[in-house]
Amino acid sequence: ILLCKTLAVVDIDRGIFGWWLSRQLRNLVHGGICLSRLHGELGPQSSCGNVAYPPSVLRRRPLKSKTSGGDTTTLCKNIMLHPHILVTITGANRGFGRAVAHAFTTSSAVSPPSRLTLILIGRDTTALERVQAELKSETTKVVVVGDVQFDEIERTDEWLGKIQTAIEDVRETGPPITKAILINNAASLGNLSQTVARYNWRDIKHYTDINIVSFSALCSSFLSYFRPRTRSADDVHPFSPSLVIVNISSLLAIQAFPYWGLYSTAKAARDQLLKVIALEEASNDVKTLSYAPGPLDNEMQRDVRNTLGDMEQKELYTKMHTEDSATKLVNLLLLTEAGFSSGTHIDFYD
């Protein structure tokens, strides 16, 4: 009542300060009405505490103000929610991708009442389903998106659509997502027995399709889905999660070694793309990170030891630490996120 009386007084003053204050007070009054409506729909236990709102609220249009023309998206977003972290991992059926998925499920940052949803992406559906069975729990939902062939670039629209459908299903059937993380782990080595002088253009194109084109397409799709440049009046997702895009990088992105020409080129390109995204999305609650996990005890590193043409370099791949490196990455993303600058490159040994 006091606010409404104040509005009546302020409306008499047509000065710029009176106009500004009038709008702020109207929005505040309208915000109180909106909260009351939400409170009534969700029950008395859901008023302004840590609330994980059900899908019915997500499917409503943002509440509109008749007086100011504004919406309450920002207001609703500021209501405290139980954390619901969505993590999408490519190449999740084995090796470092699988280790990262396990590290998320054991992190203290996603203990109850927090929720964790993992979307595991790869070419081998059966292997992904085995990982899915390992990870499921009461607080963790695991979704599999199989038969994703990053080397078949002509099918890009198909697998991007499958990934987006999986994310959409999570948003429709679960509590609001408060943080969405994309981990680009899938990559290939190329032929490490050849120097640059022995490359042919077909091999170069095939390699860049897998490691640069598909990577760039997935990052772009992820951003455009969660940060559409225009919103329709029928937008059913008033809550916009914070975003983090991760590139599983390498020391070779910043330091040259013989026989690693294509691999180094792709890793450097991916690092640079995330630096550009960090600048472009700096004010849009988006962060990027290139993380070099160090030598890992997985199938890819066994291939390195078997095929690398430089004998001295093989000694670098004798000490492996897959689980430790995965845990460090998850801690960076969930426990110490404020400790890294968006766009930065961090090595396991840093």
Side-chain angles (χ1 to χ4, degrees):
I1 294 172
L2 177 61
L3 285 172
C4 290
K5 288 181 178 179
T6 306
L7 282 174
V9 174
V10 171
D11 271 344
I12 297 173
D13 181 2
R14 295 303 176 185
I16 187 67
F17 176 75
W19 173 85
W20 174 84
L21 183 58
S22 176
R23 281 184 67 89
Q24 304 313 308
L25 291 172
R26 282 197 184 99
N27 288 337
L28 185 58
V29 170
H30 176 64
I33 294 170
C34 291
L35 284 177
S36 297
R37 287 169 61 185
L38 282 173
H39 177 74
E41 291 164 358
L42 298 174
Q45 76 281 2
S46 304
S47 55
C48 263
N50 289 323
V51 181
Y53 288 118
S56 59
V57 175
L58 287 183
R59 285 190 285 270
R60 298 184 194 280
R61 295 185 184 185
L63 302 172
K64 299 291 182 179
S65 166
K66 294 181 180 179
T67 54
S68 65
D71 63 60
T72 60
T73 299
T74 302
L75 170 72
C76 294
K77 187 178 178 183
N78 288 335
I79 300 172
M80 293 178 66
L81 304 172
H82 289 318
H84 178 199
I85 302 168
L86 170 68
V87 184
T88 302
I89 308 173
T90 66
N93 53 292
R94 61 184 183 179
F96 190 63
R98 176 178 173 273
V100 169
H102 274 274
F104 271 105
T105 63
T106 57
S107 172
S108 60
V110 290
S111 57
S114 300
R115 296 294 303 272
L116 173 67
T117 299
L118 297 171
I119 297 180
L120 309 181
I121 301 169
R123 65 175 65 219
D124 188 339
T125 303
T126 301
L128 289 170
E129 289 173 346
R130 285 197 294 268
V131 179
Q132 179 186 44
E134 297 168 2
L135 300 175
K136 273 187 175 179
S137 70
E138 289 185 4
T139 57
T140 301
K141 178 180 180 180
V142 184
V143 179
V144 165
V145 181
D147 191 30
V148 174
Q149 311 279 354
F150 291 110
D151 57 341
E152 297 178 4
I153 206 66
E154 67 278 359
R155 294 180 59 192
T156 299
D157 288 337
E158 176 188 332
W159 55 256
L160 284 177
K162 290 168 65 174
I163 295 169
Q164 183 168 315
T165 298
I167 295 174
E168 185 70 22
D169 183 64
V170 172
R171 298 186 87 182
E172 288 290 337
T173 60
I177 298 168
T178 56
K179 180 193 288 289
I181 302 172
L182 171 63
I183 299 182
N184 291 281
N185 171 65
S188 64
L189 282 172
N191 189 342
L192 300 183
S193 67
Q194 293 183 336
T195 60
V196 176
R198 303 302 178 195
Y199 294 165
N200 67 69
W201 71 266
R202 291 179 181 85
D203 291 339
I204 295 170
K205 181 182 182 302
H206 182 68
Y207 189 85
T208 54
D209 281 349
I210 298 172
N211 296 282
I212 300 178
V213 177
S214 64
F215 166 82
S216 303
L218 184 53
C219 290
S220 176
S221 176
F222 184 78
L223 285 170
S224 62
Y225 176 75
F226 282 108
R227 294 291 187 271
R229 294 311 177 192
T230 59
R231 284 187 186 275
S232 74
D234 295 316
D235 188 356
V236 296
H237 302 304
F239 296 95
S240 295
S242 61
L243 304 182
V244 183
I245 300 178
V246 179
N247 165 40
I248 301 305
S249 187
S250 169
L251 171 65
L252 290 115
I254 58 176
Q255 184 174 343
F257 289 90
Y259 294 92
W260 292 89
L262 287 177
Y263 187 87
S264 296
T265 298
K267 291 299 186 183
R270 289 162 67 133
D271 274 26
Q272 196 69 14
L273 183 70
L274 291 203
K275 289 180 181 179
V276 171
I277 292 173
L279 295 174
E280 292 175 342
E281 305 291 338
S283 61
N284 212 9
D285 201 10
V286 177
K287 294 189 74 173
T288 68
L289 171 67
S290 291
Y291 176 73
L296 305 170
D297 188 14
N298 59 21
E299 186 172 329
M300 179 178 283
Q301 298 302 338
R302 287 191 289 274
D303 289 342
V304 171
R305 293 193 293 273
N306 291 332
T307 64
L308 186 59
D310 188 334
M311 297 303 295
E312 290 185 10
Q313 290 186 57
K314 289 185 178 183
E315 297 179 6
L316 298 173
Y317 299 93
T318 57
K319 184 178 181 181
M320 309 297 171
H321 40 251
T322 304
E323 290 76 16
D324 290 345
S325 188
T327 300
K328 176 169 182 173
L329 172 59
V330 171
N331 288 342
L332 278 169
L333 296 174
L334 299 184
L335 300 179
T336 58
E337 184 182 339
F340 72 85
S341 300
S342 185
T344 194
H345 175 110
I346 295 179
D347 192 281
F348 172 76
Y349 294 106
D350 291 342

